[in-house]
Amino acid sequence: MAIEQTLLLIKPDGAARRLTGLTIDRLDASGLEMVAAKMVSVSEKMAREHYQALSDKPFFEGLIKYIRGEFHGIKDHRVLALVYRGEGAIRKVRDVAGATNPEQAAPGTIRGSFGRITTSGQFENVIHASSDPADAAREVALWFRKDEILP
Ligand code: UDP
Ligand code: MG
């Protein structure tokens, strides 16, 4: 398996429900290495760029509000952004996360245990994880400068 890097975000529901440590613990146990970490105040522009591939989806505007903490009282729009590196890192982080839809995510996964679907239909699924090598490269470069990532 190739050595990969992948972006992980603790989404506002994850922060509000105090699931940051648990998520980091699970990733520690998976054997991956954390190579970058920072708190980011997510601008509207950043949110739209991060989710650009979903801009035509009916849930897009809600998703922008969600990632900027507007449903969880996070007034400074902060999220914790992390980069993990290791063999098959993209798949491994997605496995820890579980399926996008919390109702379909396996019980032991973060999303399976702690995700929910709101009455308005928004998936609140605790973390973001890059989905493939092209996405991971784009997302890591969007959230981090090169000199913020350990060599
Ligand atoms: N999302 C949603 N409803 C949907 C699909 C996605 O609210 O029907 C949200 C959800 O928070 C998800 C994010 O949009 O994590 C990005 O969607 P994507 O399909 O990229 O899923 P992910 O890569 O996060 O598993
Ligand atoms: Mg995705």
Side-chain angles (χ1 to χ4, degrees), residues 25-150:
D25 221 26
R26 295 270 176 94
L27 289 164
D28 246 357
S30 78
L32 296 171
E33 199 186 356
M34 188 195 294
V35 293
K38 67 176 172 184
M39 298 301 305
V40 182
S41 179
V42 184
S43 66
E44 175 107 24
K45 181 169 177 277
M46 181 72 162
R48 289 179 184 280
E49 214 163 315
H50 176 72
Y51 282 125
Q52 66 182 20
L54 301 173
S55 61
D56 60 344
K57 300 282 193 231
F59 58 83
F60 183 68
E61 293 304 325
L63 181 58
I64 298 307
K65 287 196 173 73
Y66 166 39
I67 198 68
R68 298 191 72 229
E70 289 179 22
F71 300 138
H72 296 86
I74 299 182
K75 300 228 165 12
D76 57 8
H77 311 292
R78 65 169 68 187
V79 303
L80 176 60
L82 304 164
V83 178
Y84 281 88
R85 182 186 296 151
E87 265 191 24
I90 295 168
R91 178 79 264 146
K92 282 183 184 162
V93 174
R94 298 278 300 182
D95 286 350
V96 168
T100 302
N101 180 341
E103 262 179 11
Q104 287 162 7
T109 61
I110 303 269
R111 288 166 166 182
S113 297
F114 305 109
R116 65 173 190 169
I117 304 176
T118 67
T119 48
S120 64
Q122 179 74 49
F123 297 174
E124 291 184 357
N125 53 13
V126 188
I127 55 184
H128 166 81
S130 306
S131 59
D132 57 62
D135 252 22
R138 186 185 77 82
E139 292 175 1
V140 168
L142 178 63
W143 289 81
F144 289 90
R145 300 190 313 266
K146 260 207 160 100
D147 66 1
E148 292 176 319
I149 305 170
L150 292 175

